[in-house]
Amino acid sequence: MTSTASLVDFTSAVEAVEEWLTEYISASHPAIGRTGPICPFVAPSRKNRTMEIRLRLAGHAPTLELIEEIARSSLREYELTTWQGRNPMLRAMVVALPDLRSEDTGLLDQAHARVKDDFVAQGLMIGQFHENCEVTAARNPGFAVSKAPLPLFAIRAIALHDVFFLSERPHWFQQYRERFGKFFGPGSTVADPLLVEHYQEAEQAYGGPS
């Protein structure tokens, strides 16, 4: 039986990820609902040399358990990586699965839901991207923003704007508040009123700092 590794052009896969990061994720988009790139994190991370790309194979018969383990092992690898850049807030890792078939990309969505708690507990975000992903932009629910030419996970440090993605559950919001709550107090320096609104709504829902 031919292995999936023999069918994957690894160089082309890395090039596809690089092009996606440059032409899509680091670029602006009229449907994003704000000015600036889709992800403002990517360009500084690459400039700081703290963007790592990894390839993993799903094989002929991928299972949810396998994709979940790829995500969890990526968390361990992220924590053990010797990073080139000095700023830990700019560390990011893209883990692409170039042999995962289109009809199996839903496994990334399911695995993401299973592992997000563990990533957030470590101060990290994980996102899933693939051609069928229906995750929408925080400011435009009509725009499916998380599309990618290859199925992949993206891992990075929690950032200020992540209140959009961490206000759904109290333990996620607690991790966010521990890091960024000071920016929303008296004399707040957060200029984006939508961020402030999300933060205040979550704080009202879950109570103030314990």
Side-chain angles (χ1 to χ4, degrees), residues 10-164:
F10 292 97
T11 299
S12 295
V14 172
E15 289 175 348
V17 173
E18 293 277 11
E19 182 177 3
W20 173 74
L21 289 170
T22 300
E23 302 297 330
Y24 180 66
I25 292 295
S26 297
S28 60
H29 194 288
I32 197 67
R34 56 166 171 75
T35 59
I38 286 178
C39 180
F41 188 94
V42 172
S45 177
R46 297 173 86 186
K47 183 177 181 180
N48 195 56
R49 297 182 300 166
T50 48
M51 172 71 71
E52 297 284 335
I53 297 174
R54 301 286 188 269
L55 300 181
R56 298 290 180 264
L57 297 180
H60 292 287
T63 63
L64 174 56
E65 289 71 26
L66 172 64
I67 305 304
E68 180 181 349
E69 177 53 33
I70 288 174
R72 293 190 186 281
S73 64
S74 298
L75 171 58
R76 294 190 290 272
E77 184 170 1
Y78 183 100
E79 294 172 333
L80 294 172
T81 294
T82 301
W83 300 90
Q84 294 186 58
R86 296 181 179 180
N87 188 345
M89 293 301 295
L90 293 178
R91 293 171 182 170
M93 182 175 288
V94 173
V95 182
L97 291 76
D99 67 332
L100 189 68
R101 298 182 299 266
S102 177
E103 58 266 32
D104 293 322
T105 52
L107 294 173
L108 270 75
D109 302 316
Q110 297 175 59
H112 173 267
R114 287 190 175 191
V115 305
K116 183 173 178 177
D117 279 0
D118 292 341
F119 278 77
V120 173
Q122 297 301 317
L124 300 172
M125 296 294 293
I126 180 171
Q128 80 278 26
F129 299 79
H130 54 82
E131 62 179 304
N132 303 310
C133 191
E134 296 302 322
V135 173
T136 59
R139 301 169 191 267
N140 182 0
F143 175 43
V145 67
S146 297
K147 302 289 188 180
L150 297 178
L152 59 88
F153 290 115
I155 305 164
R156 59 168 175 77
I158 292 175
L160 181 68
H161 69 274
D162 286 324
V163 68
F164 289 125

